[in-house]
Amino acid sequence: MNLFDIKDPSIIKTMSIKEMEDLAKMIRSFLIENISRTGGHLSSNLGIVELTIAMHYVFSSPKDKFIFDVGHQSYVHKILTGRSAEFAHLRQYKGISGFQKRKESIHDVWEAGHSSTSLSAALGMATARDLNHENYQVVPVIGDGALTGGMAMEALNQIGSDKRRMVIIFNDNNMSISENVGAMDQAFTKLRVSKPYTTLKHDLKGALSTSKFGKSVLHTMQNVKNAVKENVVDTSIFGDFNLDYIGPIDGHNLPSLIRVLKLASENDGPVVVHVLTKKGKGYSYAEEDKTGSWHGVSPFDVRTGKSLSQMPMGHVSWSEVLSSTLTSLAAKNKDIVAITPAMKSGSKLQNFFDKYPERSFDCGIAEEHAMTFAAGLAVSGKRPFISVYSSFLQRAYDQINHDVARMNLPVVIGIDRCGLVGEDGETHHGVFDIAMLRHIPNMILSQPKDAKEAQNLLYSAFQQKEHPYAIRYPRGNVPFEKAKEYTYIEPGTWTSWSFDEHSRLIIITYGDCVDKIISKAQVNQMPITVVNARFFKPLDGDMLERLCQMELPILLYETDMLAGGLSSSILEYANDHGYTRHFVRLGIEDHFVEHGSISQLRKLERLDINSLFDIISSYL
């Protein structure tokens, strides 16, 4: 079979087991070959090949609704629903998304880029189905990492109470991005080593066949299901939620998967099918990965497994700058502790965890809990640093507001992957955190322009003990030289640069844009002043007063949302202090930004450096 000939998943229903097994091998080769060129989520998709084929064999999409938790493991689903030809442009501008996307296909019924949403969405769909007196299955696929999320537990609580018909596929690979942690994972471990369903069913058949009553039971599938429930559910955490449970099942054995999914589809209420899969299956480098390196990958050499993206000499990731500085500071301050909600590898905290294991805490996929946990440490005299991706920080907004800032606790928040992040698209762009945090009382919110300033800002955050202090930093790398000593930066102080004393234009900006603008202005000998607004809160009132009194045009250039961002705060300041002047605001307008490379997206939003200098030239 040619994968490009698959236009509709109904073709799967005509296949034999052997043909489906051959198809699984073909899909794995296709995924490895294509993702090695475009980058993307590799391991999670290699692990779910047989399961996705079995789902399309037993159920009928789009009538039956498939929801993939997080959505980054929906590549196989995309292939089986006729999108193979579009994988050459996976995650690229105007190409297909790396997540489920409703506008792409009628087979994509839900969109998510954050964990633990699938069960709530599934219950909503099942409830709507029942209210409309319709007949279809709702099939959420959720991993063991995502089940640590509180939202998933909240959904299970109502699912067990409402008892609406759905098949919950528990895709258990003992990994989220890196290895899972916590008591929930320990409970899952007990299930993994329990008697498999296929063996149990065989044992039940043998036992039931010894009596007349038992033989009659075997003729009724519902009674077999009840027998399975009696023997398995009581030892399952899902049984505590009043859910039927079948498992564990070998997630790479197509006959077993098909048999069990058919059984589950006939259940008259919610049933959990526990499937054991191997993340990265079929590609040795990904199979052996324990750190999350193969979860999301840039283009790589299939033969060697080496990335084709080379870090420039002397550069490290922004995450590494912060984590390296944190490790150095912790050597002198024994109260410093590090917290991550399941992003130890992505946030480059592995070295800190190795060096200070007793001061390192991975909370699993639970941003809300992680933030209040940090508050509890801070109120007890510890100095917590919590690293959270900007797009995931939204989930901890209430905790920052209610538990950290309201009590004015000195929690240091590292906001990783701020700004446009590129290929992961709408769900992952970190462009909302400035507006989200700027209005919260007691907050200090900053962003460094370079690695030196990043080190000094983190040092300054721990030097003060009065307020919560957030430092945002983007995806990507930066030239890095480890500081021999640190300099304290007073909150609410900006810096400025001018080519000469006869400036004709002022640009207020922040982050790594500062030096790029200065460099281009120097080359072109442009008479402008560039302001490094390294604090969004508090603002530098003294400098703003001087700037507002100058008779010069002021461009406010930001690479995040305009609404509620830096320019909003400057306009508020100008209005409140009686400065009636015109500002030119450049930033992301009122819309979600699609996926594509960061350079493409900045150009699309008219926020690239060339577009900025076209505007500068028009004023000069």
Side-chain angles (χ1 to χ4, degrees), residues 174-226:
N174 197 22
M175 298 277 282
S176 47
I177 291 179
S178 51
E179 289 185 296
N180 290 324
V181 297
M184 185 70 72
D185 184 62
Q186 294 169 15
F188 293 152
T189 298
K190 292 179 182 178
L191 284 180
R192 292 179 194 120
V193 299
S194 63
K195 182 179 289 189
Y197 165 75
T198 48
T199 304
L200 177 65
K201 184 178 178 185
H202 177 77
D203 292 347
L204 283 171
K205 282 188 174 182
L208 292 172
S209 297
T210 59
S211 67
K212 280 187 177 181
F213 174 74
K215 288 177 181 178
S216 67
V217 168
L218 280 174
H219 291 297
T220 308
M221 181 63 73
Q222 184 60 50
N223 287 345
V224 173
K225 285 188 286 185
N226 288 341

Side-chain angles (χ1 to χ4, degrees), residues 59 137-140 165-169 261 264-265 269-273:
F59 301 102
Q137 270 289 5
V138 181
V139 188
R165 185 165 60 98
M166 68 174 71
V167 177
I168 301 169
I169 297 178
L261 289 178
S265 70
V271 58
V272 175
V273 176

Side-chain angles (χ1 to χ4, degrees), residues 322 325-326 329 333 336 383 385 410-413 444 446 448 452-471 485-493 534-535:
L322 272 292
T325 307
L326 181 72
L329 293 172
N333 186 345
I336 291 178
R383 299 304 312 275
F385 172 83
V411 174
V412 181
I413 305 170
I444 297 174
S446 64
K452 180 180 180 181
E453 197 164 68
Q455 295 174 80
N456 288 330
L457 282 173
L458 187 60
Y459 166 76
S460 303
F462 283 109
Q463 283 296 107
Q464 65 88 43
K465 299 181 180 179
E466 292 77 34
H467 304 291
Y469 198 123
I471 305 170
E485 59 181 34
Y486 303 112
T487 302
Y488 180 76
I489 299 176
E490 185 70 30
T493 57
R534 59 191 178 188
F535 287 96

Side-chain angles (χ1 to χ4, degrees), residues 303-369:
R303 184 178 58 85
T304 64
K306 292 184 177 179
S307 173
L308 299 179
S309 302
Q310 296 297 319
M311 186 83 75
M313 186 71 69
H315 285 58
V316 301
S317 69
W318 281 94
S319 304
E320 179 64 30
V321 173
L322 272 292
S323 63
S324 173
T325 307
L326 181 72
T327 304
S328 297
L329 293 172
K332 298 180 179 179
N333 186 345
K334 297 187 183 305
D335 285 330
I336 291 178
V337 299
I339 302 167
T340 177
M343 297 305 297
K344 179 170 58 178
S345 57
S347 295
K348 303 299 181 186
L349 286 170
Q350 185 64 58
N351 185 51
F352 188 99
F353 272 61
D354 292 341
K355 194 166 185 177
Y356 305 111
E358 74 286 353
R359 291 195 263 161
S360 304
F361 306 95
D362 187 343
C363 300
I365 301 177
E367 292 85 1
E368 304 96 322
H369 156 65

Side-chain angles (χ1 to χ4, degrees), residues 266-490:
E266 297 170 4
N267 202 53
D268 56 3
V271 58
V272 175
V273 176
H274 184 177
V275 178
L276 300 178
T277 59
K278 176 72 174 177
K279 195 169 184 180
K281 185 173 177 60
Y283 188 57
S284 60
Y285 296 110
E287 282 191 23
E288 296 162 8
D289 176 33
K290 298 298 181 185
T291 65
S293 302
W294 286 93
H295 173 76
V297 296
S298 56
F300 63 94
D301 185 313
V302 174
R303 184 178 58 85
T304 64
K306 292 184 177 179
S307 173
L308 299 179
S309 302
Q310 296 297 319
M311 186 83 75
M313 186 71 69
H315 285 58
V316 301
S317 69
W318 281 94
S319 304
E320 179 64 30
V321 173
L322 272 292
S323 63
S324 173
T325 307
L326 181 72
T327 304
S328 297
L329 293 172
K332 298 180 179 179
N333 186 345
K334 297 187 183 305
D335 285 330
I336 291 178
V337 299
I339 302 167
T340 177
M343 297 305 297
K344 179 170 58 178
S345 57
S347 295
K348 303 299 181 186
L349 286 170
Q350 185 64 58
N351 185 51
F352 188 99
F353 272 61
D354 292 341
K355 194 166 185 177
Y356 305 111
E358 74 286 353
R359 291 195 263 161
S360 304
F361 306 95
D362 187 343
C363 300
I365 301 177
E367 292 85 1
E368 304 96 322
H369 156 65
M371 191 62 66
T372 300
F373 172 58
L377 284 161
V379 84
S380 304
K382 295 301 177 184
R383 299 304 312 275
F385 172 83
I386 175 170
S387 176
V388 186
Y389 284 14
S390 175
S391 65
F392 303 152
L393 189 72
Q394 298 158 193
R395 308 190 122 196
Y397 171 81
D398 179 62
Q399 289 69 28
I400 296 171
N401 184 328
H402 184 273
D403 301 329
V404 176
R406 188 179 56 81
M407 290 188 282
N408 211 7
L409 298 174
V411 174
V412 181
I413 305 170
I415 307 177
D416 204 341
R417 307 302 201 273
C418 73
L420 295 171
V421 297
E423 291 80 3
D424 282 337
E426 295 99 317
T427 58
H428 281 61
H429 291 313
V431 295
F432 301 103
D433 59 78
I434 298 173
M436 184 176 75
L437 298 182
R438 190 176 63 82
H439 66 272
I440 297 178
N442 297 326
M443 283 296 305
I444 297 174
L445 178 58
S446 64
Q447 181 172 346
K449 73 179 182 69
D450 55 29
K452 180 180 180 181
E453 197 164 68
Q455 295 174 80
N456 288 330
L457 282 173
L458 187 60
Y459 166 76
S460 303
F462 283 109
Q463 283 296 107
Q464 65 88 43
K465 299 181 180 179
E466 292 77 34
H467 304 291
Y469 198 123
I471 305 170
R472 63 195 311 264
Y473 40 99
R475 180 185 177 191
N477 55 72
V478 62
F480 176 60
E481 183 177 340
K482 195 170 183 62
K484 295 179 181 178
E485 59 181 34
Y486 303 112
T487 302
Y488 180 76
I489 299 176
E490 185 70 30

